[in-house]
Amino acid sequence: MEPPPLTLLLIEDNPVDARLIEDALTNVSGTAFQLEWVDRLAEGLERLAAGGIDVVLLDLSLPDSHGLDTFTKVHAQVPEVPILVLTGLEDEATAVQTVQQGAQDYLSKAYVVAESHFLLRAVRYAIERKRTEEELRKTNQTLRTLIHASPLAIISLDREGIVKLWNPAAERMFGWTEPEVRDRPLPIVPMEQQQEFRGLLGMVLQGKGVTGVEVRHQKKDGAPVDLSISAAPLSDAKHLIVGTIAVVTDITERKQAERELARLASFAEQNPNPIIELDPTGHVTYLNAAAAQQFPDLSSLGPRHPFLQGLGSVVSALQGGRETLFVREVTLGTRVYEQHLSHLQEDGRLRIYMADITERKHVERLKDEFMNTVSHELRTPLATLKEFSAILADGLAGPTTADQQEYLKIMRGNIDRLGRIIHDLLDLSKIEAGHMTPNRCFLEVLPLVQHVVETMRPVADHKALQLETSLHPDLPGVFADPDKVIQVLLNLVSNAIKFTPQGGRVTIAVDELENEVRWRVSDTGIGIDPADLPKLFEKFHQLHRISDQGGAEGTGLGLAISKRLVELHGGRIWAESHVGTGSTFSFTLPKYHVGEVFKEYLKTGIRLAKQKHGYFSILVLAIEEFNRLRARSGPDAVDRLLKEIEQIVQATVRQRAGDVVVRWQEGETVVVLAEVSKAGSLAIAKRLKQMIEGRTYRMGHTEERISLITALVTYPDEAQDEEELLRVAEERLHRVTRPKPRLLVVDDEPKVRKLLKEALELRDFEILTSANGPEAFEQLKAQPVDLILLDILMPVMDGYQVYHLLKENPRTKEIPVIMITGKGERTDRLLGIEGPSYNYVLKPFQLEDLLTKIQEVLQQTSHR
Amino acid sequence: MVNGKTILVVDDEQHLALASKIRLQSRGYHVTTASNGRQALELIDTEKPHLIVLDVLMPVIDGYACLREINQRYGRGTIPVLILTARDRMKELFELEGIEDYVIKPFDDEDLLTRIDRIFKRREGSTPLRIG
């Protein structure tokens, strides 16, 4: 490689010497250089000032300068240019001094002449060295600036741990100033950590750098400080490790945050209830200790773990923002848990908190069992007493005297009383345990009041009391349980009769308020002391009223029970009275608005369903051709019919909390099924249809059969809230028009045929099935169909072939076809078919999607 | 007044069974009682009742099991069965086969008697049970 051309400046007063040197340089081959010569210092300095000189060859003794001074001046002029000092024999000492002062080297002139390549080499070395020196100086300068300005504390120590470098950041971090710590042992290490410190230092000094070591040291004021230390060994030119340089970060705040986090995390970690977090795919991202212990196989089973079953629809409700929290009960093995699920919007994770409620459920069940046993144990001997006293009284054990009859009557009266008390007590317990759920339905006021009046008239007549009613015309229906309402009315009316003297009057008045129906039982009795009014509805409150039926007959619980029953319906009950004039006991019940009340009821039902197994269905049964039927047989007969249907339904349906039968719109009965899955609801629907259609009903003078249309909607499978439930039910109900469309299902799998047939028949389609193409054609020869559901993947003759054959045959080509195709099948093969474009559903499909498609296609066909 | 009909009353509550027996006897029926399912089956063989009044609430020997046995041995509905049940167990009725009628405890004696009469009327002319 060609070395760069050099420009040398020779400051030499002796021309001969100068010439010799020039020759010496020239002699050496392969060098491109330029030599400039001046013989005085002044000129030299001038020339240097102009720049461009790479090396200075300097004779110290010049006419205008001498010795060290010469060098000093030149060096000052061009500090960055290497200076080679040329000496004679006598001034070696001076020459040495110049090197100390910054000259690159010195050479004796004689030597130079003799060995000229040395000069060249010396020149080149000089330049190199100068360059290197410069670079080093620059680097050092940069480094020094960096260290000084660094926001990170930078400290360097020697092998003994004595501080050699302490930048301003270190001063700020720890409080000691540089002069305070330089050449002293590192002050920040507290006593108890000296050993560790030594160990760390030793490790670094062995050549092993460290990063991110976290320690707790101290500041000058004694305050502790958390540090993160990264340290590297420092080597000298001989590659011996002479110390260490470290960068120190104050992580006190971070450590504090970490500690706080750990503290908060420990709440979840130490919680005795399992807490689990799932990512959107259903895999576990967090498991606290309790969860790991109670569900050890959770991580490995992932989304298939039993307690995650059935969460799909829940999760989509949570993710859709329709819910923020979902609570349900789930049973795993022997334990029952209450699961609280909540959804984190940002990352789609699901939080599950499980509380073990096995004990609670156990206690609840024990209570129920106890109640049932007590009930049975109390009632049985009572029944026996009653039976035998009746047997005696009826003379079946021989004739009885008048006295005996009298006593028997007393016995029977008390047995009855005991019976009533037991009944009321049990009622009250049931209500208070929260186990009484009224079976609410649409109730008309008039028949109810009439029933009560008929029941109580004999008692009233006995006391020559007038029993009257005052009913507003056109009263709306109420949403209530008839038995319970009757119970309350009977209670109030019997009280009224009891406390009204002979010849008085008891009136039942019913009127309409804004959202309620108000019932008032007034009497012209002796009235109630205002002081007693507040305590009226308490348990065992026996009024200090004069009852002229011989001794307290009441159980003391009647009003307490009435109050609770009314309140269970969402109504209110109260009493007004004037001593001597009479009393009025009033209660309200919510009006029956098909829209609001029912929806409110459904909402509650759904909420309850969520807490348990998450299923809730409404089944709507509508009488086909209802209007015609009503026109033909009259509203009374139809009303009776509906009542009968309701009774059948009520008896068939599993009556648990939330099951209810409601009369809805024209001729429709809605059955609300709580806690029943879709499959279960389908089964019940089928059963009901069978039962109701399987018998005859008296319509006027004839016995007739009826035909039902049914619609079934299940939460959470098919609807997410009460609005959707009703809407979907309505759609389904009114979608079906006479006559029933006839569909042909062609699929080689028997299971699929059966499934589709059952599901579609419930939706009021007539279904024919075939297992393959040839069979289908046979069926079609026999009877026409409105639509064909065709599976593509069939052996022998596949769907495409069947389709083509259908379209080619003039008898069948107008029948619309819906293809059932799987994802990935080459449905594009069908593109380009002439005629109406094909319709299809993709497997696996939701039944609803298929139904929508079927309706769509049938509509299209009917519009052609 | 004896009308030639035998009724078997099956109830684990002896006293109630006895009370029913007294009532029914006063109407001219011949009554025999059993306090559990096993006894009941034995008595059907020996007494050949025309009607069985069966308490399905019996805890020890399940009343339903007894009914199933009867159905199995003698055929459904061969001997009319009237069952005694409770209001909250009514829904179970619809899964039972071979019952002629039911009465809810506590029941009115007259109601029971009327229903029994009705059952017999319906079965008028039917020959007594042939067993074996």
Side-chain angles (χ1 to χ4, degrees):
Chain A
M1 192 177 87
E2 198 70 54
L6 306 165
T7 310
L8 310 173
L9 176 65
L10 174 62
I11 310 179
E12 169 62 65
D13 59 334
N14 189 329
V16 173
D17 287 351
R19 173 102 192 277
L20 283 168
I21 289 166
E22 191 175 0
D23 285 344
L25 282 170
T26 320
N27 276 343
V28 182
S29 60
T31 311
F33 69 91
Q34 266 180 288
L35 186 65
E36 294 179 25
W37 175 40
V38 298
D39 60 0
R40 285 199 193 329
L41 179 63
E43 278 175 51
L45 291 173
E46 232 180 271
R47 176 63 190 86
L48 285 169
I53 301 294
D54 294 306
V55 187
V56 174
L57 298 169
L58 180 65
D59 177 11
L60 286 177
S61 53
L62 296 166
D64 53 350
S65 179
H66 206 74
L68 194 58
D69 201 37
T70 316
F71 168 77
T72 313
K73 287 205 177 79
V74 173
H75 188 57
Q77 176 73 14
V78 281
E80 74 281 6
V81 177
I83 302 170
L84 283 172
V85 170
L86 300 166
T87 68
L89 285 162
E90 5 24 271
D91 44 3
E92 186 162 342
T94 321
V96 169
Q97 269 182 304
T98 62
V99 171
Q100 281 172 348
Q101 295 270 342
Q104 285 301 313
D105 210 343
Y106 68 88
L107 299 162
S108 80
K109 291 186 212 178
Y111 195 61
V112 163
V113 171
E115 312 276 350
S116 54
H117 58 276
F118 274 121
L119 179 61
L120 210 54
R121 212 166 51 192
V123 167
R124 257 194 236 117
Y125 280 161
I127 292 176
E128 262 326 296
R129 220 177 298 133
K130 194 77 191 181
R131 198 178 301 146
T132 309
E133 268 173 23
E134 268 309 300
E135 274 175 25
L136 195 63
R137 200 188 54 77
K138 274 203 208 106
T139 307
N140 278 348
Q141 189 55 35
T142 312
L143 209 59
R144 242 184 280 281
T145 313
L146 263 172
I147 289 175
H148 193 86
S150 166
L152 298 173
I154 302 176
I155 300 168
S156 93
L157 308 172
D158 69 8
R159 291 195 67 93
E160 312 306 315
I162 304 295
V163 177
K164 290 296 175 191
L165 174 67
W166 184 268
N167 75 344
E171 287 181 331
R172 289 191 297 270
M173 188 179 288
F174 298 108
W176 284 283
T177 62
E178 205 262 353
E180 283 175 333
V181 300
R182 186 167 14 102
D183 294 325
R184 291 206 176 85
L186 189 60
I188 65 176
V189 184
M191 270 313 260
E192 63 272 15
Q193 292 189 30
Q194 281 296 333
Q195 203 161 351
E196 256 179 71
F197 167 68
R198 290 279 148 198
L200 191 65
L201 181 61
M203 198 163 79
V204 177
L205 291 172
Q206 276 174 15
K208 301 195 192 75
V210 294
T211 19
V213 174
E214 293 183 4
V215 295
R216 195 157 223 236
H217 288 337
Q218 67 197 15
K219 302 192 195 182
K220 184 176 182 187
D221 61 4
V225 58
D226 290 299
L227 306 169
S228 173
I229 300 175
S230 300
L234 269 179
S235 318
D236 64 5
K238 299 200 192 88
H239 301 291
L240 287 174
I241 296 175
V242 295
T244 168
I245 185 160
V247 174
V248 180
T249 325
D250 183 340
I251 54 168
T252 314
E253 269 179 33
R254 168 156 74 88
K255 285 311 246 187
Q256 219 161 320
E258 276 176 18
R259 276 192 285 273
E260 187 60 22
L261 203 68
R263 192 177 72 86
L264 291 173
S266 72
F267 287 138
E269 193 51 37
Q270 290 166 9
N271 195 308
N273 290 314
I275 299 177
I276 297 135
E277 193 187 56
L278 304 176
D279 73 10
T281 66
H283 288 96
V284 177
T285 52
Y286 173 77
L287 206 58
N288 75 342
Q293 191 212 11
Q294 289 182 36
F295 309 115
D297 46 354
L298 190 58
S299 304
S300 53
L301 284 180
R304 280 194 297 280
H305 193 281
F307 87 60
L308 296 176
Q309 297 299 353
L311 278 182
S313 52
V314 168
V315 173
S316 58
L318 286 170
Q319 284 171 334
R322 284 182 293 246
E323 286 295 333
T324 46
L325 184 65
F326 181 90
V327 181
R328 69 167 189 175
E329 282 182 12
V330 65
T331 306
L332 294 166
T334 54
R335 307 210 70 83
V336 183
Y337 296 90
E338 197 175 73
Q339 249 184 359
H340 297 245
L341 296 109
S342 64
H343 183 250
L344 297 179
Q345 292 297 335
E346 318 86 63
D347 53 14
R349 296 200 208 180
L350 192 66
R351 284 263 178 79
I352 305 174
Y353 176 88
M354 315 256 290
D356 189 331
I357 54 170
T358 315
E359 303 308 328
R360 185 178 94 193
K361 301 273 328 161
H362 184 61
V363 167
E364 274 175 20
R365 210 176 16 141
L366 285 179
K367 274 203 291 196
D368 279 346
E369 282 172 13
F370 178 69
M371 280 304 296
N372 288 338
T373 312
V374 164
S375 171
H376 181 76
E377 292 302 312
L378 284 173
R379 288 197 171 120
T380 309
L382 203 62
T384 309
L385 287 172
K386 211 166 145 191
E387 287 291 313
F388 280 95
S389 66
I391 284 172
L392 286 173
D394 291 348
L396 296 179
T400 54
T401 67
D403 279 352
Q404 286 170 339
Q405 281 292 338
E406 181 70 28
Y407 303 153
L408 282 167
K409 189 158 166 226
I410 292 172
M411 278 170 66
R412 290 229 301 284
N414 279 278
I415 290 168
D416 283 344
R417 183 160 166 230
L418 196 57
R420 281 198 302 276
I421 292 176
I422 290 174
H423 177 85
D424 282 354
L425 270 176
L426 290 172
D427 251 7
L428 207 53
S429 304
K430 226 166 125 193
I431 296 176
E432 295 198 330
H435 288 329
M436 164 109 36
T437 337
N439 281 330
R440 302 210 273 186
C441 61
F442 174 83
L443 272 190
E444 287 197 61
V445 176
L446 182 58
L448 212 71
V449 173
Q450 279 174 346
H451 174 86
V452 169
V453 167
E454 273 166 32
T455 311
M456 297 305 286
R457 194 173 291 290
V459 188
D461 287 345
H462 189 73
K463 277 179 85 169
L465 292 174
Q466 280 177 281
L467 184 55
E468 290 173 356
T469 63
S470 163
L471 305 181
H472 242 239
D474 290 327
L475 281 170
V478 289
F479 188 47
D481 182 329
D483 290 336
K484 309 289 185 279
V485 178
I486 290 173
Q487 194 173 343
V488 173
L489 270 176
L490 285 175
N491 175 241
L492 296 182
V493 172
S494 78
N495 280 349
I497 291 175
K498 230 187 292 175
F499 293 102
T500 304
Q502 294 239 351
R505 186 175 60 236
V506 171
T507 315
I508 305 175
V510 187
D511 62 348
E512 184 180 351
L513 300 180
E514 196 180 326
N515 289 314
E516 301 165 305
V517 169
R518 179 174 57 179
W519 312 64
R520 282 178 298 178
V521 176
S522 326
D523 61 56
T524 58
I526 53 176
I528 303 164
D529 197 310
D532 286 334
L533 276 177
K535 297 183 250 156
L536 272 182
F537 297 95
E538 285 172 23
K539 285 186 259 195
F540 296 115
H541 176 83
Q542 291 287 17
L543 296 165
H544 297 296
R545 296 198 280 174
I546 304 157
S547 155
D548 46 15
Q549 280 196 284
E553 280 266 332
T555 60
L557 293 173
L559 283 176
I561 292 177
S562 293
K563 176 168 191 270
R564 278 157 184 76
L565 287 177
V566 165
E567 285 170 357
L568 265 183
H569 282 81
R572 306 164 286 137
I573 189 167
W574 68 98
E576 294 151 312
S577 184
H578 297 282
V579 176
T581 323
S583 320
T584 303
F585 280 72
S586 318
F587 68 93
T588 62
L589 291 174
K591 274 196 220 179
Y592 185 87
H593 284 303
V594 174
E596 272 67 54
V597 172
F598 191 47
K599 274 186 206 163
E600 193 54 50
Y601 175 77
L602 288 183
K603 221 197 292 192
T604 313
I606 291 176
R607 198 167 31 231
L608 278 170
K610 275 182 199 169
Q611 288 173 10
K612 304 204 174 180
H613 303 295
Y615 288 116
F616 185 80
S617 305
I618 64 170
L619 169 64
V620 185
L621 310 162
I623 300 175
E624 224 177 341
E625 297 184 34
F626 178 72
N627 292 325
R628 264 219 236 154
L629 185 67
R630 188 168 53 181
R632 199 169 60 228
S633 312
D636 291 328
V638 159
D639 199 55
R640 270 198 305 275
L641 167 67
L642 287 171
K643 279 207 181 72
E644 271 194 76
I645 292 177
E646 272 168 37
Q647 275 173 3
I648 296 177
V649 175
Q650 220 142 27
T652 309
V653 157
R654 267 180 291 173
Q655 305 249 308
R656 33 171 118 212
D659 283 357
V660 112
V661 182
V662 173
R663 198 178 302 182
W664 204 16
Q665 331 235 26
E666 294 292 305
E668 289 168 359
T669 307
V670 178
V671 187
V672 177
L673 300 166
E675 298 178 36
V676 185
S677 69
K678 177 115 191 239
S681 307
L682 266 173
I684 292 180
K686 204 167 155 190
R687 183 81 184 271
L688 280 175
K689 203 164 140 77
Q690 272 171 2
M691 288 182 66
I692 296 173
E693 288 179 347
R695 39 168 301 196
T696 59
Y697 301 88
R698 186 159 204 82
M699 306 294 295
H701 303 292
T702 53
E703 290 270 336
E704 293 188 22
R705 287 187 188 273
I706 58 161
S707 217
L708 280 188
I709 313 171
T710 61
L712 175 67
V713 189
T714 305
Y715 160 92
D717 302 58
E718 299 169 310
Q720 294 303 322
D721 57 34
E722 68 282 1
E723 300 274 340
E724 235 185 311
L725 269 179
L726 289 171
R727 187 175 48 81
V728 177
E730 192 129 11
E731 276 173 35
R732 289 186 187 168
L733 214 53
H734 299 310
R735 205 191 289 153
V736 183
T737 51
R738 306 175 292 105
K740 286 193 207 181
R742 190 182 292 142
L743 312 185
L744 172 64
V745 174
V746 188
D747 194 301
D748 63 309
E749 279 180 78
K751 262 193 257 184
V752 174
R753 290 200 300 274
K754 181 163 189 275
L755 190 78
L756 284 175
K757 184 170 156 82
E758 276 178 4
L760 291 170
E761 273 179 348
L762 205 61
R763 300 288 204 274
D764 277 300
F765 290 99
E766 198 191 331
I767 304 294
L768 304 174
T769 61
S770 317
N772 55 52
E775 257 186 59
F777 287 115
E778 278 303 309
Q779 295 243 27
L780 288 169
K781 264 194 233 162
Q783 47 193 320
V785 300
D786 300 294
L787 185 144
I788 301 176
L789 282 171
L790 183 54
D791 179 23
I792 286 191
L793 225 54
M794 291 191 294
V796 182
M797 197 191 282
D798 75 353
Y800 299 120
Q801 289 180 283
V802 177
Y803 183 86
H804 282 291
L805 284 171
L806 284 170
K807 292 304 169 193
E808 280 162 25
N809 187 324
R811 270 183 60 228
T812 57
K813 73 172 185 183
E814 294 298 314
I815 307 175
V817 178
I818 296 179
M819 316 286 287
I820 305 176
T821 160
K823 243 188 258 197
E825 281 167 24
R826 302 288 310 281
T827 49
D828 55 1
R829 278 172 60 184
L830 289 180
L831 288 172
I833 292 177
E834 289 162 359
S837 56
Y838 71 101
N839 297 291
Y840 70 97
V841 281
L842 281 178
K843 269 200 280 212
F845 52 78
Q846 298 274 39
L847 192 60
E848 299 323 308
D849 296 343
L850 177 64
L851 285 167
T852 314
K853 197 80 202 168
I854 291 175
Q855 285 306 129
E856 227 177 81
V857 173
L858 286 175
Q859 288 252 31
Q860 280 172 7
T861 322
S862 64
H863 289 160
R864 262 191 283 140
Chain B
M1 173 185 61
V2 173
N3 56 30
K5 297 272 198 290
T6 304
I7 299 181
L8 168 64
V9 174
V10 188
D11 193 331
D12 61 332
E13 295 284 343
Q14 299 173 315
H15 297 148
L16 290 176
L18 177 59
S20 294
K21 178 170 177 174
I22 295 173
R23 282 269 164 217
L24 291 169
Q25 274 175 341
S26 75
R27 282 294 181 98
Y29 295 107
H30 172 63
V31 181
T32 177
T33 64
S35 62
N36 61 57
R38 192 180 39 80
Q39 251 187 9
L41 292 166
E42 282 170 22
L43 285 172
I44 295 177
D45 282 339
T46 55
E47 300 282 330
K48 304 190 189 7
H50 297 86
L51 174 80
I52 302 175
V53 175
L54 175 62
D55 173 14
V56 292
L57 302 175
M58 291 195 293
V60 178
I61 311 285
D62 184 20
Y64 295 132
C66 181
L67 178 62
R68 276 197 291 275
E69 263 298 302
I70 295 174
N71 285 338
Q72 216 168 4
R73 275 206 213 179
Y74 307 105
R76 226 189 302 159
T78 316
I79 316 170
V81 177
L82 182 149
I83 66 166
L84 309 176
T85 183
R87 179 165 294 279
D88 54 355
R89 305 274 292 266
M90 263 182 73
K91 57 198 176 282
E92 295 161 12
L93 293 187
F94 286 84
E95 284 154 38
L96 293 179
E97 289 170 335
I99 39 176
E100 199 77 16
D101 206 343
Y102 66 88
V103 140
I104 310 251
K105 279 194 190 185
F107 54 81
D108 180 52
D109 294 313
E110 274 312 306
D111 186 39
L112 178 68
L113 290 165
T114 315
R115 288 181 186 275
I116 290 175
D117 281 343
R118 235 192 272 157
I119 292 173
F120 281 126
K121 269 212 190 63
R122 278 206 291 267
R123 297 268 183 137
E124 206 95 283
S126 58
T127 49
L129 177 67
R130 272 197 308 268
I131 302 169

